[in-house]
Amino acid sequence: MPIKLAVAFALLAPLAACSQQPAPPPPLEGAAIGGPFELVDTAGKTVRWSDFDGKYRMVYFGYAWCPDVCPFDLNRMMLGYRQWSQAHPDLAAQVQPIFITIDPERDTPEKVGEYVANFGDNLIGLTGTPEAIEEAARNFSVYYQRGPDDENVGYLMDHSRAGYLMGREGQPIALLPVESSAEEVAAELGKWVS
């Protein structure tokens, strides 16, 4: 009886292995998102996209003067990162959160530094010339446009709203659900960062 059971198991084991589905590809695999840029950090030092090679990257475009969407999205992104990093500190060291302004006229390195400090020590803030920002935004398929002048708020920036998870070689992996919740951001990191 035990021999027959062993033979049956040996015959069925390959069938069980065949029924396992391969992991799905990342949702943004092959998308034309991301690419080189040359910006400056909050100390005025030049930063290039290639400086992050070997690390995963969480990227969000917004602006420091944003009265509503940007701070909430960044807060959820960074809370999700911290939640996930508590369970995976070794992997968290291999992920770099990045904020890129789409308002270089007002977002000086100093202003961006003050802004990103509100969201934790791990978040790098970047700005640059209008041309450099335009190139970075174009590479990430980010829409932005300056709104009309207003005597109370100066002006607002209309812009697309997305958080990106990029791979170690700068390739797009997935959109981060920054508009949803920190828990969903953490879950997305857990799904793709390894």
Side-chain angles (χ1 to χ4, degrees), residues 14-21:
L15 294 176
C18 290
S19 68
Q20 292 177 357
Q21 297 295 319

Side-chain angles (χ1 to χ4, degrees), residues 16-44:
C18 290
S19 68
Q20 292 177 357
Q21 297 295 319
L28 295 181
E29 184 176 73
I33 297 172
F37 62 62
E38 188 171 296
L39 300 171
V40 294
D41 66 12
T42 56

Side-chain angles (χ1 to χ4, degrees), residues 103-117:
D103 185 15
E105 184 178 330
R106 293 181 294 189
D107 284 351
T108 63
E110 295 77 20
K111 181 65 181 174
V112 170
E114 292 170 10
Y115 185 66
V116 299

Side-chain angles (χ1 to χ4, degrees), residues 34-178:
F37 62 62
E38 188 171 296
L39 300 171
V40 294
D41 66 12
T42 56
K45 178 185 163 197
T46 298
V47 175
R48 294 172 183 84
W49 182 237
S50 59
D51 293 344
F52 304 106
D53 285 354
K55 285 194 167 194
Y56 289 90
R57 303 150 223 203
M58 301 168 69
V59 183
Y60 184 85
F61 285 79
Y63 67 114
W65 299 85
C66 182
D68 46 26
V69 173
C70 301
F72 292 111
D73 286 353
L74 274 174
N75 191 49
R76 285 186 286 263
M77 183 174 101
M78 294 307 294
L79 281 174
Y81 169 77
R82 283 194 292 278
Q83 286 176 12
W84 171 79
S85 67
Q86 287 175 353
H88 307 282
D90 52 330
L91 289 175
Q94 301 173 46
V95 177
Q96 181 57 64
I98 303 168
F99 167 79
I100 301 174
T101 185
I102 44 86
D103 185 15
E105 184 178 330
R106 293 181 294 189
D107 284 351
T108 63
E110 295 77 20
K111 181 65 181 174
V112 170
E114 292 170 10
Y115 185 66
V116 299
N118 294 306
F119 304 100
D121 297 335
N122 302 96
L123 182 62
I124 289 178
L126 300 176
T127 187
T129 65
E131 297 78 17
I133 295 296
E134 182 180 351
E135 179 183 18
R138 185 174 53 249
N139 288 341
F140 280 81
S141 299
V142 169
Y143 159 81
Y144 68 97
Q145 183 175 346
R146 179 183 164 149
D149 288 329
D150 180 285
E151 61 182 37
N152 297 317
V153 297
Y155 61 87
L156 298 176
M157 297 292 291
D158 185 25
H159 64 97
S160 54
R161 179 182 182 189
Y164 301 98
L165 177 61
M166 311 295 284
R168 295 180 186 277
E169 297 173 10
Q171 76 279 18
I173 294 176
L175 291 174
L176 293 169
V178 295

